[in-house]
Amino acid sequence: MTGNPSRQEQGQGQGQGPVPGSGVPEESLPGRPGAKPASLQEPTEPHGPLPPKPDQSGPETVGPTGQATGEDPARSAQSGAYLTTAQGARLYESDHSLKAGARGPVLLQDHHLREKITHFDHERIPERVVHARGAAAHGVFQSYGTASRVTKAAFLAEEVETPVFVRFSTVLGSRGSADTVRDTRGFATKFYTEEGTFDLVGNNIPVFFIQDAVKFPDIIHAGKPHPDREIPQAQSAHDTFWDFVTLHTEATHHTLWNMSDRGIPRSYRMMEGFGVHTFRLVDAEGGTTLVKFHWKPKLGVHSLVWEEAQLINGMDPDFHRRDLFDAIEAGAFPQWELGIQTFPDTPEQTFEGIDLLDPTKIVPEELAPVQPVGLLTLNANTKNFFAETEQVAFHPGHLVPGIDITDDPLLAGRLFSYLDTQISRLGGPNFAQLPINRPHAPVNDMLRDGMHQTAVHTGVAPYRPNSLDGGCPFLAGADTGAYIETPVQVPASAKRREAPESFSDHFSQPRLFWLSMTPTEREHIIAAYTFELNKCYEQAVKERALTVLANIDPVLCEGVAAGLGLPVPPATVELATAEPSPALSQLGQTWPPEGRVIGIVADADGDMDAVRTVREAALGAGMVPLVVAPAGGTLGADSERIAVQRTYATARSTEFDALFVVGAPGPGLDAQGVRDAKAGHIATDAATVDPRVLLMLAEAYRHGKAIGGTADAATALEAARLPVDAPGVVLGDSADDVFAQLVELLGGHRVWHRHPASI
């Protein structure tokens, strides 16, 4: 898992080799679909399947009972040079059914046709009800050992390295929906530990919509498309969602996070993750500590702007999964630190007045700092999306010694629901035997038979105690690694359907979140609420939503009310007093440039030395440079050609974190509205610059992105009617100097002060 090649090494020995004058192989850039370049003609010389690409990995080679097999992973893949049936019989023809004559009827005896079509008819499994749209990767978790003082979990001991599989997802949309919708994101991590599998199944938002799992079907039904029309897809901007969350005000905190920039992350690589619930850690002496889990991205927490997200949904609905795969393929491996907030395990299970069993509440980091306990690195893409990403089965009840649950009522329902849904989706109780789900610890569970049983069990006594199998399997004790539930005292009380009084505070933490936002982030929240509520039909739902917002903050309520054209209602509760938490804001810090995408826009008349300089500097900084030109192929002289990754027709500003413009690129041959609508109408003063370049510049400018270029790029900026001296616009004679300034600007993600907030 850790022996993946570097960015430069990945391209060596494949494809066309190093490009003269560039200093790096073109194969070091991501996006190549196969292990070798395609030939112009159909290959006819038989040979076996090509190996996986260097960035790809698959499940570890362990058997269905968790034993290491030492088997070459290639043995689980298709093999042989010839097309066969599922039983291995070679086929001489696969383009035509067996017929009674060339024009005759198809014969029922065509076993190949029946096998092929039957398998095709059954190659889809039910998609997840929630988190259907996902992407995943393999990686490794390196423990710092700092958690050893509070847990005996072996994978958290010092310098222990554990293979992991991580799946990111959206909640509401179907498998075919878009990536950059406004939604909560799943962040689920499967740790293949030596003590069994541990699943940390979290989200990119630390709180949930509801406090009790009995309402989980309700919130999902409300958020999903309307059942009569099955629209809108993957959106919360509709009546049923807002009807529910304004009637169930416990949803206010999560809704506010979702309406913030957290709802439209820039990348999975730049997204926090949270365990949401409070868990219990157990140390070697039996002492317990309550904790909340956090994933902190090394690249920082960054988001898209709303217009950008909307454009991407049309231009590239696979934006987030492509970004993840490309970064890993390019060697820019995403990393997160796992951290824990710790709290005394008191009978009240509260901390600083915050109920730790309420999944709609956070504990501000200023009150309980997040302590790093290990580093997660994703270093390999999947070999097969279905076998791994679709069939991976997470469950909050997959625990290891040293980690236990609490009485969070939402977690209790998840412990049932996740197991139940895996049985439904994956066809039976043996889903743990699928390669991606197999534990890396020995399994002897006495479970037998069932659909899709792939283990070949021995013995005659799948029960205990027994003597016929020599007494095996035996029970373990605490001294031999048994999982033993913490003996928590259950309070004596009557059975009842109610929540504790502390669960009734629905507004103090939303107010804390609002007060912790910068003016720019507050503007975005107001815009999000305004957009979503204007998509609702029912006036009563809009008015009810404004009443909820009035209980958070008057500025928020007034801003949204103005956009809806409705009066501002009074608050129905006293506004809470809250101390802002700077940790909740995404702005104000500086982050590294690794993994950032820079578009280098040029044409054949541009300064190729500047293109090469910026490209090589970007690669050296761990960034992904993409050369954008009027047409595909290469730029520059034959001896110093520079490969083009994007054209003016295929590129859009949304793909890039920054732009570097070389000169004033002239119109391409396809710069005509009838062929590429983006070309549109060329303004009189812009006739010398390709209109797609002007569009790219205008979008990048209003989305707050850094723009640099050679001194003569001023012509292009002026043609786009953009001020050359605006914040975040850098022009100069030295490409090295301009690039260095762009990197510095990228440290803040965007040039936020280019468009000052009005509140």
Side-chain angles (χ1 to χ4, degrees):
M1 300 297 293
T2 57
N4 286 40
S6 68
R7 169 201 307 273
Q8 280 77 18
E9 291 171 335
Q10 287 182 5
Q12 299 290 359
Q14 301 171 21
Q16 62 187 11
V19 175
S22 70
V24 294
E26 288 301 325
E27 290 75 14
S28 64
L29 296 173
R32 186 174 71 257
K36 290 184 178 180
S39 60
L40 185 60
Q41 303 298 328
E42 178 184 353
T44 57
E45 186 66 28
H47 61 79
L50 296 178
K53 291 164 53 180
D55 62 289
Q56 295 176 325
S57 181
E60 293 285 329
T61 52
V62 294
T65 56
Q67 301 176 77
T69 64
E71 185 180 55
D72 181 353
R75 294 190 63 181
S76 64
Q78 299 281 294
S79 62
Y82 297 96
L83 180 66
T84 73
T85 68
Q87 306 305 317
R90 291 184 180 180
L91 294 164
Y92 74 94
E93 167 64 53
S94 189
D95 287 337
H96 304 284
S97 302
L98 188 65
K99 308 181 188 72
R103 297 177 60 81
V106 175
L107 301 178
L108 184 62
Q109 69 189 63
D110 189 347
H111 63 94
H112 173 50
L113 169 67
R114 286 186 288 118
E115 179 186 75
K116 187 174 181 180
I117 294 298
T118 298
H119 193 281
F120 173 78
D121 289 345
H122 295 270
E123 71 180 26
R124 290 291 179 266
I125 62 175
E127 69 175 36
R128 293 165 170 87
V129 177
V130 289
H131 299 279
R133 173 76 178 181
H138 296 273
V140 63
F141 177 77
Q142 182 75 45
S143 173
Y144 299 155
T146 49
S148 296
R149 60 184 177 79
V150 290
T151 180
K152 62 184 179 183
F155 82 98
L156 290 174
E158 188 171 2
E159 296 185 356
V160 174
E161 193 172 273
T162 303
V164 299
F165 188 71
V166 179
R167 186 178 189 271
F168 305 101
S169 55
T170 54
V171 170
L172 291 178
S174 66
R175 272 194 66 192
S177 59
D179 278 350
T180 59
V181 295
R182 182 178 294 280
D183 196 3
T184 305
R185 266 57 179 194
F187 192 133
T189 307
K190 185 175 290 292
F191 296 83
Y192 302 98
T193 89
E194 64 183 30
E195 297 180 300
T197 300
F198 170 56
D199 287 347
L200 181 54
V201 194
N203 290 329
N204 75 320
I205 291 177
V207 292
F208 210 69
F209 281 109
I210 53 174
Q211 296 168 325
D212 193 303
V214 74
K215 286 188 280 192
F216 188 75
D218 299 322
I219 179 57
I220 298 304
H221 289 164
K224 285 285 189 177
H226 291 197
D228 55 347
R229 304 184 182 189
E230 189 60 15
I231 56 173
Q233 179 62 243
Q235 292 187 49
S236 57
H238 54 85
D239 288 83
T240 59
F241 173 81
W242 287 98
D243 185 43
F244 181 87
V245 299
T246 55
L247 289 170
H248 287 75
T249 53
E250 68 196 63
T252 301
H253 195 191
H254 187 120
T255 304
L256 185 59
W257 276 76
N258 218 29
M259 293 302 107
S260 77
D261 292 340
R262 303 280 186 147
I264 43 174
R266 158 63 180 85
S267 164
Y268 291 139
R269 301 176 293 121
M270 303 167 192
M271 190 175 81
E272 273 186 300
F274 303 91
V276 179
H277 309 287
T278 299
F279 291 83
R280 177 177 281 109
L281 298 185
V282 185
D283 63 26
E285 286 72 43
T288 61
T289 305
L290 300 182
V291 299
K292 285 183 176 290
F293 290 106
H294 296 249
W295 289 111
K296 296 284 188 181
K298 299 291 278 186
L299 297 179
V301 187
H302 308 297
S303 297
L304 300 167
V305 295
W306 181 230
E307 186 201 16
E308 200 176 18
Q310 292 173 297
L311 289 171
I312 292 171
N313 281 338
M315 291 290 296
D316 185 6
D318 305 307
F319 182 78
H320 280 154
R321 61 171 60 175
R322 190 189 311 280
D323 173 89
L324 177 68
F325 300 152
D326 284 356
I328 293 173
E329 185 180 0
F333 300 143
Q335 292 185 315
W336 291 260
E337 274 194 316
L338 178 64
I340 56 173
Q341 286 181 298
T342 61
F343 319 101
D345 190 358
T346 62
E348 297 76 22
Q349 296 178 94
T350 63
F351 182 78
E352 298 289 338
I354 300 168
D355 193 325
L356 297 176
L357 299 186
D358 184 349
T360 68
K361 302 292 195 302
I362 65 165
V363 177
E365 294 183 29
E366 291 75 17
L367 297 179
V370 176
Q371 306 162 58
V373 299
L375 180 67
L376 166 67
T377 303
L378 296 184
N379 56 17
N381 287 316
T382 54
K383 286 182 180 177
N384 185 278
F385 191 91
F386 175 79
E388 299 168 80
T389 306
E390 276 303 294
Q391 293 196 130
V392 67
F394 296 97
H395 177 30
H398 291 164
L399 302 165
V400 293
I403 303 178
D404 204 346
I405 60 170
T406 58
D407 293 331
D408 178 332
L410 178 63
L411 178 57
R414 293 181 72 198
L415 291 170
F416 170 80
S417 178
Y418 278 72
L419 179 60
D420 191 45
T421 196
Q422 309 305 354
I423 294 173
S424 174
R425 287 190 63 245
L426 300 173
N430 291 310
F431 60 85
Q433 294 183 17
L434 293 166
I436 193 62
N437 295 322
R438 291 175 181 175
H440 293 189
V443 175
N444 194 345
D445 53 21
M446 294 196 302
L447 305 176
R448 292 294 186 268
D449 306 336
M451 293 182 68
H452 309 141
Q453 175 63 257
T454 59
V456 182
H457 295 104
T458 59
V460 297
Y463 54 84
R464 68 163 314 279
N466 74 75
S467 62
L468 298 182
D469 282 343
C472 184
F474 300 91
L475 296 178
D479 58 337
T480 49
Y483 185 90
I484 300 175
E485 289 80 6
T486 307
V488 177
Q489 186 68 39
V490 177
S493 62
K495 291 188 293 186
R496 58 188 69 184
R497 292 186 182 274
E498 62 181 32
E501 179 60 32
S502 57
F503 277 41
S504 63
D505 174 13
H506 299 164
F507 298 110
S508 65
Q509 290 222 328
R511 179 158 175 76
L512 163 68
F513 184 81
W514 170 261
L515 294 177
S516 302
M517 297 294 100
T518 62
T520 295
E521 291 168 305
R522 293 183 187 183
E523 293 276 17
H524 293 168
I525 291 171
I526 290 173
Y529 271 101
T530 303
F531 176 90
E532 297 255 331
L533 290 168
N534 267 322
K535 285 282 191 173
C536 294
Y537 177 87
E538 293 291 345
Q539 195 78 351
V541 171
K542 300 178 186 180
E543 294 175 0
R544 193 188 311 137
L546 288 176
T547 300
V548 172
L549 298 182
N551 291 336
I552 300 173
D553 189 86
V555 174
L556 170 60
C557 185
E558 290 164 8
V560 176
L564 299 180
L566 293 173
V568 179
T572 59
V573 300
E574 183 178 350
L575 294 183
T577 301
E579 188 68 29
S581 170
L584 296 177
S585 172
Q586 295 184 190
L587 309 188
Q589 300 184 57
T590 302
W591 303 100
E594 281 87 354
R596 294 293 185 158
V597 182
I598 181 169
I600 306 172
V601 185
D603 65 2
D605 297 325
D607 182 351
M608 293 300 107
D609 287 337
V611 174
R612 274 187 287 272
T613 295
V614 175
R615 187 177 182 278
E616 293 175 19
L619 286 169
M623 298 169 64
V624 179
L626 298 177
V627 176
V628 188
T634 60
L635 291 176
D638 289 343
S639 61
E640 298 181 330
R641 67 186 189 278
I642 299 170
V644 173
Q645 285 84 37
R646 301 290 187 272
T647 66
Y648 298 163
T650 63
R652 199 70 183 255
S653 68
T654 52
E655 186 173 6
F656 310 112
D657 294 294
L659 291 177
F660 186 97
V661 184
V662 179
L669 295 177
D670 59 346
Q672 44 186 299
V674 69
R675 188 174 298 176
D676 183 358
K678 295 196 302 299
H681 299 287
I682 303 176
T684 303
D685 61 345
T688 58
V689 181
D690 192 292
R692 278 97 40 108
V693 172
L694 302 182
L695 177 64
M696 228 182 304
L697 286 169
E699 288 176 348
Y701 183 86
R702 69 174 180 264
H703 296 158
K705 295 181 179 179
I707 300 172
T710 54
D712 52 351
T715 301
L717 286 162
E718 289 166 353
R721 295 184 171 87
L722 301 177
V724 297
D725 57 350
V729 177
V730 185
L731 303 178
D733 295 321
S734 169
D736 278 322
D737 290 345
V738 172
F739 177 77
Q741 293 181 66
L742 287 181
V743 169
E744 185 175 352
L745 289 165
L746 280 172
H749 181 54
R750 297 182 193 267
V751 187
W752 296 112
H753 57 287
R754 181 183 292 160
H755 308 294
S758 62
I759 56 175

